[in-house]
Amino acid sequence: QVHLVESGGGSVQAGGSLRLSCTISGPTYVYLCMGWFRQAPGQEREAVAGFFNRGARFYAESIKGRSTISLDAKTAYLQIDDLKPEDTGTYVCASSTYDCARFTAGNMHNWGKGTPVTVSS
C-alpha cells in the first residue's frame, strides 16, 4: 500500500523559495510515475512537476526554469525559487502504480493530503 505525506509548505513573500517534501512509503514502482500537483481555490488541479516515462521530468510552464524536482531515498522534493503569488495553492504529491507516458492527474492512483503554499506580493 502506498502512503504519501507532504510537508514544507507555508506563507512566503514573492521572490522567496520553498522546498516541498513528499515522504513515500510503498513499493519501488511508486517512483516511476509520481510528482506534484497544485490545487488553487476555484481552479482546476494542475500538474506542476513530476517523473514519468523512464525518468523523464515534467515541469509546468508556469514554474519551468525556477523549480527542480528530485528524489532521494524515500523522499521526493520540489524546490521552487522566485515564488510568485500565482504559485499559491495546495501542493499535493501523487503517484501511479506503473510508469506513465504522460504526467497527468488521470494517471495517478495514490494521493497525499497536500501542503498549503501562500505567496504574498
Side-chain angles (χ1 to χ4, degrees):
Q1 186 174 0
V2 177
H3 193 50
L4 307 171
V5 180
E6 305 92 336
S7 62
S11 296
V12 297
Q13 290 196 331
S17 298
L18 279 176
R19 189 190 196 200
L20 307 180
S21 300
C22 174
T23 302
I24 305 161
S25 61
T28 55
Y29 61 66
V30 170
Y31 307 98
L32 295 175
C33 178
M34 62 89 57
W36 296 89
F37 294 79
R38 178 173 63 222
Q39 182 71 62
Q43 297 184 22
E44 292 187 4
R45 184 165 48 194
E46 175 188 14
V48 176
F51 297 99
F52 71 108
N53 197 19
R54 301 180 184 180
R57 300 185 187 194
F58 166 86
Y59 291 100
E61 287 298 324
S62 61
I63 66 167
K64 192 174 292 185
R66 56 187 183 91
S67 62
T68 303
I69 187 171
S70 59
L71 196 58
D72 181 14
K74 289 187 174 289
T75 304
Y77 301 98
L78 178 62
Q79 174 79 30
I80 308 178
D81 300 316
D82 189 23
L83 281 158
K84 305 177 186 301
E86 50 265 39
D87 294 324
T88 294
T90 297
Y91 285 71
V92 184
C93 183
S95 70
S96 176
T97 55
Y98 45 76
D99 199 2
C100 51
R102 295 179 60 201
F103 183 71
T104 63
N107 284 329
M108 302 296 126
H109 301 97
N110 308 290
W111 296 86
K113 294 183 178 181
T115 183
V117 172
T118 302
V119 184
S120 57
S121 57

